[in-house]
């Protein structure tokens, strides 16, 4: 059997197992990150046969390298909105997987070096956490996980398109241009995080402040994203009867209300999980304000719906909460 036939035969047997592992880990990671009230983009892919053969041939030039040495037959990628969320995801990974190798690009990067900053891991399933009896075939498989912010991912994709891997491969006359480009991505990453924090503290942006405070609860309970324009419009309507200081109190009270009613909310969302198309309000963060007002400001809420919104929607929400 030739080298090519041997690799093809092995991959034909292993690929479905890695596909199943990728699906399992994707779901597990998404649920764990959503529980921390962050909405990630998580994808996975198994390496195609041609890429496997090319990588073995390329690696074999400098050292002995075989099919069994490949660590990225399965690769997963987590992309989060802000760079300051990477630390939280790193904690999830170390708590729930066997970390064979962790590489933090930013820590290894000198100030004058050219590369994107993201976290790379070689992992195994932790049998105590997510391995079930029917998935014994997963136990010893190593797979790759990359965790990046949106801007880190944008830079990585651009660098891949430019087809360079190492700084030494870039002609000297172009290095300055690439340095400038990379600096823009890094500045954007930092500034997006800073602006996000600042907007949450902005006294005049109560609707935005509410969304930032409560959007994580939607990720946690509904496990879907929401329509921001709808939220901004409805929240302005709901906030009208309250002055600014009352609005600040209201946001904090709703957040505490959600925490205090965690079990009830989990029960509601489990019951309506497959019916969000019939009850879309359940997928918007302002629903928690409505639930809170049903308990504390019912007459005010009824007046708002009677004058500016849809009474039928309120009746549906009353039925759900009751």
């Amino acid at each position: 059997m030739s080298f090519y036939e041997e690799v093809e035969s092995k991959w034909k047997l292993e690929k479905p197992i890695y596909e199943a592992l990728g699906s399992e880990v994707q779901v597990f990671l998404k649920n764990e990150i959503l529980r921390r009230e962050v909405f990630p983009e998580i994808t996975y892919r198994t390496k195609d046969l041609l890429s496997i053969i090319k990588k073995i041939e390329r690696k074999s030039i400098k050292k002995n390298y075989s099919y069994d040495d490949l660590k990225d037959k399965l690769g997963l990628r987590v992309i989060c909105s802000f760079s300051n969320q990477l630390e939280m995801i790193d904690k999830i990974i170390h708590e729930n997987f066997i970390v064979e190798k962790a590489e933090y690009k930013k820590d290894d990067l000198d100030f004058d070096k050219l590369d994107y900053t993201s976290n790379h891991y070689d992992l195994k399933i932790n049998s105590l956490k997510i391995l079930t009896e029917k998935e014994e075939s997963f136990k010893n498989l190593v797979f790759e996980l990359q965790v990046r912010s949106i801007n880190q991912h944008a830079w990585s994709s651009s660098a891949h398109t430019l087809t360079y891997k190492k700084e030494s491969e870039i002609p000297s006359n172009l290095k300055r241009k690439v340095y400038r480009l990379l600096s823009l991505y890094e500045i954007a990453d930092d500034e997006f995080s800073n602006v996000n924090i600042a907007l949450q503290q902005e006294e005049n942006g109560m609707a935005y402040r509410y969304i930032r405070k409560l959007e994580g609860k939607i990720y946690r309970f509904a496990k879907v994203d929401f329509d921001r324009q709808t939220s901004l419009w409805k929240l302005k309507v709901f906030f009208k009867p309250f002055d600014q200081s009352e609005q600040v109190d209201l946001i904090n009270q709703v957040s505490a209300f959600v925490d205090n009613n965690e079990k009830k909310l989990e029960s509601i969302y489990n019951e309506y999980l497959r019916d969000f198309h019939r009850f879309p309000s359940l997928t918007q963060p302002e629903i928690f304000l409505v639930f809170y007002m049903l308990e504390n400001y019912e007459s005010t809420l009824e007046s708002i719906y009677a004058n500016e919104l849809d009474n039928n929607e309120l009746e549906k929400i009353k039925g759900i909460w009751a």
Side-chain angles (χ1 to χ4, degrees):
M1 184 181 293
S2 71
F3 159 72
Y4 303 105
E5 291 171 333
E6 182 182 0
V7 172
E8 182 180 7
S9 177
K10 286 182 177 180
W11 189 228
K12 187 175 181 179
L13 291 173
E14 287 192 353
K15 184 176 181 179
I17 300 172
Y18 278 101
E19 287 278 1
L21 174 60
S23 177
E24 192 83 12
V25 174
Q26 180 190 42
V27 171
F28 178 84
L29 275 174
K30 185 169 185 178
N31 287 335
E32 285 296 308
I33 296 171
L34 287 170
R35 282 181 54 230
R36 273 69 168 191
E37 302 179 4
V38 169
F39 194 84
E41 177 187 333
I42 304 178
T43 57
Y44 72 93
R45 64 95 186 102
T46 51
K47 214 168 182 67
D48 65 67
L49 180 60
L50 180 59
S51 295
I52 288 174
I53 288 173
K54 284 183 175 182
K55 183 167 185 177
I56 295 171
E57 289 183 332
R58 186 176 71 252
K59 292 282 189 180
S60 297
I61 295 172
K62 295 184 178 180
K63 60 181 179 180
N64 289 329
Y65 195 88
S66 70
Y67 174 87
D68 295 328
D69 293 318
L70 285 168
K71 305 296 185 185
D72 62 344
K73 295 171 192 168
L74 168 67
L76 290 100
R77 182 174 292 149
V78 177
I79 301 174
C80 51
S81 298
F82 305 108
S83 57
N84 57 8
Q85 294 169 342
L86 268 66
E87 185 176 343
M88 175 270 293
I89 297 172
D90 180 70
K91 186 176 180 182
I92 290 174
I93 291 166
H94 279 86
E95 287 177 350
N96 293 285
F97 296 91
I98 298 168
V99 180
E100 296 278 299
K101 179 183 176 183
E103 184 179 3
Y104 304 98
K105 295 279 189 179
K106 195 168 187 177
D107 293 347
D108 298 332
L109 202 61
D110 292 336
F111 76 95
D112 60 344
K113 295 300 179 184
L114 184 64
D115 206 349
Y116 63 91
T117 56
S118 62
N119 298 343
H120 292 196
Y121 307 85
D122 290 341
L123 304 175
K124 285 184 179 179
I125 292 291
N126 185 339
S127 60
L128 297 178
K129 292 289 183 179
I130 60 176
L131 186 66
T132 64
E133 289 182 7
K134 66 179 182 178
E135 292 150 358
E136 277 294 314
S137 56
F138 295 164
K139 188 162 61 174
N140 295 314
L141 300 183
V142 178
F143 57 95
E144 180 185 78
L145 173 66
Q146 299 177 353
V147 184
R148 301 170 177 165
S149 69
I150 290 173
N151 280 295
Q152 288 169 349
H153 181 60
W155 169 252
S156 173
S157 298
S158 299
H160 180 74
T161 302
L162 294 171
T163 64
Y164 87 89
K165 284 289 185 182
K166 296 179 181 178
E167 188 174 352
S168 59
E169 296 173 358
I170 301 176
S172 297
N173 64 321
L174 294 180
K175 278 186 182 179
R176 176 66 178 168
K177 291 182 181 293
V178 182
Y179 271 120
R180 291 170 63 198
L181 181 61
L182 178 55
S183 70
L184 291 176
Y185 278 108
E186 290 194 358
I187 290 168
D189 224 356
D190 290 342
E191 290 307 306
F192 271 120
S193 294
N194 292 337
V195 168
N196 180 51
I197 293 168
L199 282 171
Q200 292 179 59
Q201 298 168 347
E202 175 59 47
E203 290 295 332
N204 295 321
M206 289 302 165
Y208 184 90
R209 188 171 181 175
Y210 177 94
I211 289 172
R212 278 291 176 252
K213 185 96 170 178
L214 276 299
E215 67 181 340
K217 309 297 184 184
I218 282 295
Y219 302 153
R220 177 181 174 186
F221 293 114
K223 297 180 172 60
V224 297
D225 207 353
F226 62 97
D227 186 288
R228 283 151 182 78
Q229 293 304 312
T230 298
S231 289
L232 288 169
W233 164 60
K234 284 193 173 181
L235 285 167
K236 288 176 182 177
V237 173
F238 289 134
F239 284 153
K240 275 184 185 178
F242 305 95
D243 64 32
Q244 189 166 333
S245 63
E246 290 172 332
Q247 290 173 18
V248 173
D249 291 339
L250 200 58
I251 293 169
N252 294 327
Q253 288 160 7
V254 173
S255 182
F257 171 81
V258 172
D259 291 338
N260 293 335
N261 287 275
E262 179 181 343
K263 296 297 183 184
K264 182 173 182 177
L265 287 165
E266 283 181 352
S267 177
I268 287 171
Y269 278 93
N270 287 336
E271 180 180 350
Y272 289 92
L273 185 62
R274 300 185 185 280
D275 293 315
F276 287 158
H277 62 287
R278 294 170 54 215
F279 304 96
S281 58
L282 280 174
T283 66
Q284 295 290 124
E286 60 270 18
I287 191 63
F288 303 120
L289 176 58
V290 178
F291 286 154
Y292 175 80
M293 292 181 72
L294 278 174
E295 296 276 339
N296 299 277
Y297 298 96
E298 186 170 5
S299 61
T300 302
L301 185 66
E302 288 174 343
S303 176
I304 290 170
Y305 270 93
N307 293 319
E308 301 196 54
L309 298 172
D310 182 355
N311 267 323
N312 291 327
E313 181 184 83
L314 180 58
E315 293 305 313
K316 281 184 180 181
I317 294 171
K318 284 182 177 181
I320 292 169
W321 186 246

